[in-house]
Amino acid sequence: MNKDSLRSTSSQHSETMKEPTRNWYAFYLKPRHEKKASARLEEQYDFEIFCPLKEERVRWSDRWKTVTKPYIPGYLFACVTEKERRIVLEDRSVFRTVCWKGRPAVIREEEIETVKRITGHPDVEDIRLEQISPGDRVSIDSGEFRELNGIVVNVKGNRASVRLESLHSNMTFTVKRSVLNLVS
């Protein structure tokens, strides 16, 4: 074997020895298991867990008490490899990974950093992840139908059927859920 073939063999070997990529994923949890699951996973494994918590004063029947609650109930975020994602799924508090189009949804680092900034800000009191459901009033925020209002009739995957109110008719059409905003 000559030096060039040794070099190419060792560079191929180092490429196959690369550490797997870690990505952020969101996981659905059992109700009120956010603190337990994040503490257990942080203690047992060497990957980053993010479960933003806030302190809140609540009135019990006989007194006021300060309790720690999650900003985003029912969710936990973890920066893991694919193998570590499966380990997280084995935790007794974890139901499943949040998916998009049938595959585990990878969350961009910038989005996690934004959530960290928001949850760390003293003026932020409440954060909610809202799903669009049949019966919700929505406005369309982009495309040719921008600024039209309607009522969600049906939701399937990443699409929603909307009945237009502005036409005072039962005209229904399907659009991407990403262009809809809940109207209060």
Side-chain angles (χ1 to χ4, degrees), residues 76-133:
L76 172 93
F77 303 91
C79 187
V80 292
T81 64
E82 180 57 29
K83 182 179 178 183
E84 292 167 338
R85 186 184 68 80
R86 286 190 230 115
I87 290 170
V88 172
L89 289 171
E90 292 173 4
D91 186 88
R92 63 183 171 266
S93 296
V94 178
F95 280 125
R96 62 188 168 132
T97 308
V98 173
C99 291
W100 174 254
K101 295 184 179 182
R103 300 183 52 90
V106 174
I107 302 169
R108 294 189 330 252
E109 180 78 33
E110 308 83 74
E111 293 170 325
I112 292 293
E113 290 304 318
T114 299
V115 172
K116 285 180 178 180
R117 255 192 343 270
I118 290 169
T119 57
H121 197 280
D123 294 335
V124 174
E125 293 178 4
D126 190 28
I127 297 174
R128 280 176 266 143
L129 298 178
E130 296 180 346
Q131 299 293 325
I132 294 175
S133 305

Side-chain angles (χ1 to χ4, degrees), residues 63-79:
R63 67 185 182 281
W64 284 92
K65 181 161 175 129
T66 301
V67 296
T68 304
K69 291 184 171 183
Y71 267 104
I72 309 170
Y75 292 88
L76 172 93
F77 303 91
C79 187

Side-chain angles (χ1 to χ4, degrees), residues 7-18:
R7 256 188 239 129
S8 81
T9 304
S10 73
S11 69
Q12 287 172 352
H13 182 68
S14 66
E15 286 176 20
T16 58
M17 297 298 290
K18 269 187 189 176

Side-chain angles (χ1 to χ4, degrees), residues 140-154:
I140 300 172
D141 68 354
S142 67
E144 292 183 42
F145 302 111
R146 182 178 37 250
E147 297 180 15
L148 287 177
N149 292 322
I151 297 176
V152 175
V153 177
N154 187 4

